[in-house]
Amino acid sequence: MSNIALLERPATRAPHLRPVPRFVESEAPAAPAAPATPADLPATRSPRGFALYVGLDEIKAAEAGVSLPLLVDALRRTLAELAPGAETHATVALAPHGSGGRDLDVVRLALQEPGAIARAKAATETEEKNEDYGVTVDISRKRVLIDGESAAFTYKEFELLQYLVLREGRTIERSELVGALWQSPEDETPGERTIDVHVRRLRAKLGRYEDIVRTVRGVGYRFDRHADVVIRYGHGTPSPDRF
């Protein structure tokens, strides 16, 4: 997710969400419902507002013909019509490029939503218990564990494995690997066949788990999710208020 979020007022008025009336078959008029109070809150506390988490990156928004600032502006105007006295605050959720999982889950975690934090902590604890077996690719710490032991990957070998892992299920051509991983002027750009040498060295260090990097004959390489592999992604942090 990018933190570019320049507020733009849409040229046309965006359609607004409006409350849908609820019809009840009854002879007598229904009494107004009392405000709902979450059962888990003490009687001395009451709701003061709500947070709406939206999982949508800028690319998907653009494909839908909108932008994140436009959506925020439209929702704010809708709220101003329905509840003029409401105060609003919008913030962009930032996450590392290639973060796995659903957009909404990434957003909730990046904005430090308690439930998402608790689930992430539980998942991390489970992963750490399972690190004694199989391969753990720790994207956040730039390391690979094999059966609980740290593997001596070079920087380029880890980059190669990470590139495949973050594109799980997609066959990556050799030319794409060269273009993506050898961009620095200091790097000596290898030929496409040199990629095969790097992959062979990578597989040798993976040992009995070498088959997690698959060869697609005549095309390139791919990584498919494997029962012996755990992927650990870094977590995003909240951005400042961008609107």
Side-chain angles (χ1 to χ4, degrees):
M1 296 184 188
S2 171
N3 63 345
I4 300 174
L6 301 177
L7 184 59
E8 301 172 351
R9 183 164 295 279
T12 58
R13 191 174 181 84
H16 292 163
L17 302 174
R18 299 192 179 278
V20 179
R22 180 180 179 185
F23 296 99
V24 180
E25 295 182 3
S26 174
E27 301 260 337
T37 301
D40 58 334
L41 290 180
T44 56
R45 299 172 64 187
S46 61
R48 294 290 300 272
F50 66 91
L52 175 65
Y53 296 97
V54 179
L56 182 72
D57 63 29
E58 291 176 325
I59 295 176
K60 292 178 183 176
E63 290 173 350
V66 294
S67 66
L68 299 185
L70 186 147
L71 291 174
V72 170
D73 190 32
L75 290 172
R76 272 182 165 163
R77 287 190 279 106
T78 298
L79 189 59
E81 288 185 3
L82 299 177
E87 298 176 322
T88 63
H89 173 87
T91 187
V92 177
L94 302 181
H97 290 293
S99 294
R102 297 189 311 155
D103 286 340
L104 185 57
D105 293 334
V106 173
V107 168
R108 292 175 65 188
L109 188 59
L111 295 180
Q112 304 292 292
E113 194 269 318
I117 293 175
R119 281 190 292 274
K121 182 179 179 181
T124 299
E125 291 174 351
T126 300
E127 290 171 359
E128 288 175 349
K129 290 179 182 177
N130 295 331
E131 282 182 354
D132 289 342
Y133 304 96
V135 178
T136 298
V137 182
D138 193 336
I139 303 296
S140 60
R141 298 180 183 176
K142 303 293 184 184
R143 66 174 185 169
V144 177
L145 301 179
I146 299 178
D147 292 334
E149 298 293 329
S150 182
F153 278 40
T154 66
Y155 176 77
K156 194 62 71 177
E157 288 165 351
F158 181 85
E159 273 198 324
L160 175 59
L161 180 60
Q162 175 181 257
Y163 194 88
L164 296 172
V165 164
L166 293 180
R167 290 152 186 82
E168 175 185 332
R170 182 162 74 86
T171 299
I172 309 299
E173 296 183 3
R174 293 177 176 85
S175 58
E176 180 178 340
L177 290 170
V178 171
L181 302 182
W182 278 268
Q183 296 179 339
S184 172
E186 291 78 21
D187 288 339
E188 181 180 348
T189 304
E192 292 183 14
R193 291 301 170 186
T194 308
I195 293 292
D196 297 341
V197 176
H198 285 274
V199 171
R200 280 199 297 271
R201 291 173 180 168
L202 173 63
R203 283 175 168 161
K205 292 182 179 180
L206 288 171
R208 62 194 181 99
Y209 302 108
E210 63 177 355
D211 61 342
I212 68 173
V213 176
R214 295 180 52 196
T215 299
V216 180
R217 188 177 297 277
V219 182
Y221 299 95
R222 66 185 289 156
F223 167 81
D224 291 316
R225 184 55 62 97
H226 195 285
D228 292 327
V229 182
V230 172
I231 312 299
R232 300 184 64 182
Y233 299 95
H235 303 319
T237 56
S239 76
D241 185 24
R242 296 290 180 179
F243 295 94

